[in-house]
């Protein structure tokens, strides 16, 4: 079954078995909507008891994890859900895993490269596109530059402005 990473346990919190989770979502409240997650490579089911938040992190108490030592065991573990349990998105919203691998083309259908990452630590997302020659291009995820995303055909259409794709000016 396809599973999607929704977060990573980064540390234990306190002495009652809570863990601090770095969410892989722009909607961290998602953890409140879940009853369970799959943890680690073997996909052990962890049942969510309580969720609270602190500084962009989810603090989660799982059933049967009642002390710091047990919580520490799960440090650096990815938390996943089944793909079928993903929340519905609004129009013009995309899951990062759907964007990775899209073919980036300009408005004249000239190939630019493939989307290799989505950087989320800025005011807006930044799409990282890697050209065949290995060069990396960073494109802000705004309508001025991204004119169309078609997941079904695997294409992201970009309207480049001068200098956006790293063109050199003639002297």
């Amino acid at each position: 079954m396809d599973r999607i990473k929704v977060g990573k346990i980064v540390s234990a919190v306190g002495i009652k078995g809570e863990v601090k989770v770095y969410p892989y979502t722009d909607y961290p409240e998602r953890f409140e909507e879940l009853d369970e997650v799959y943890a680690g490579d073997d996909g052990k089911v962890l049942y969510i008891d309580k969720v609270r938040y602190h500084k962009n992190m989810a603090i989660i108490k799982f059933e049967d994890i009642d002390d710091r030592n047990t919580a520490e065991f799960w440090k650096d573990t990815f938390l996943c859900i089944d793909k079928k349990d993903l929340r519905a998105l609004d129009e013009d919203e995309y899951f990062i895993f759907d964007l990775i691998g899209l073919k980036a083309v300009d408005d004249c259908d000239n190939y630019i490269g493939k989307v290799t990452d989505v950087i989320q630590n800025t005011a807006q997302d930044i799409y990282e596109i890697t050209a065949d020659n290995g060069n990396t291009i960073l494109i802000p995820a705004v309508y001025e530059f991204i004119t169309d995303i078609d997941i079904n055909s695997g294409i992201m259409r970009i309207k480049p402005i001068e200098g956006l794709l790293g063109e050199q000016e003639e002297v």
Side-chain angles (χ1 to χ4, degrees):
M1 179 156 299
D2 289 334
R3 295 206 172 127
I4 306 301
K5 292 177 184 172
V6 293
K8 182 179 181 179
I9 297 174
V10 295
S11 67
V13 177
I15 61 171
K16 296 182 180 179
E18 290 181 310
V19 294
K20 185 185 294 185
V21 175
Y22 178 78
Y24 287 176
T25 173
D26 61 353
Y27 180 63
E29 294 80 11
R30 176 73 171 116
F31 290 104
E32 294 173 49
E33 301 169 358
L34 298 170
D35 295 322
E36 63 190 32
V37 292
Y38 300 95
D41 295 334
D42 62 352
K44 178 174 173 46
V45 177
L46 296 178
Y47 295 95
I48 296 174
D49 185 28
K50 295 178 189 172
V51 180
R52 61 187 174 94
Y53 302 93
H54 182 71
K55 295 184 179 180
N56 300 327
M57 300 290 250
I59 309 299
I60 300 178
K61 170 68 176 80
F62 292 107
E63 293 178 10
D64 300 325
I65 298 178
D66 297 317
D67 61 79
R68 186 174 183 87
N69 288 339
T70 307
E72 280 288 339
F73 171 81
W74 294 101
K75 183 179 177 188
D76 294 326
T77 299
F78 291 105
L79 301 177
C80 302
I81 61 172
D82 287 329
K83 199 170 191 177
K84 67 176 179 57
D85 293 328
L86 290 169
R87 69 183 183 94
L89 297 178
D90 292 332
E91 188 176 334
D92 293 332
E93 285 186 324
Y94 305 94
F95 292 111
I96 290 174
F97 63 84
D98 281 335
L99 297 172
I100 303 294
L102 289 181
K103 185 168 70 170
V105 298
D106 67 13
D107 47 2
C108 296
D109 287 330
N110 296 311
Y111 179 77
I112 298 169
K114 288 201 180 277
V115 178
T116 52
D117 197 6
V118 178
I119 303 166
Q120 294 186 283
N121 61 354
T122 61
Q124 74 272 333
D125 290 350
I126 304 285
Y127 298 138
E128 179 182 279
I129 297 171
T130 303
D132 287 345
N133 66 5
N135 288 345
T136 300
I137 304 159
L138 301 177
I139 308 286
V142 295
Y143 292 111
E144 290 84 0
F145 302 124
I146 309 298
T147 59
D148 185 47
I149 295 175
D150 187 341
I151 300 296
N152 293 328
S153 66
I155 293 178
M156 176 183 289
R157 194 168 305 283
I158 296 170
K159 180 180 178 185
I161 60 170
E162 188 174 331
L164 184 68
L165 301 180
E167 296 100 348
Q168 300 294 322
E169 291 184 31
E170 292 184 25
V171 181

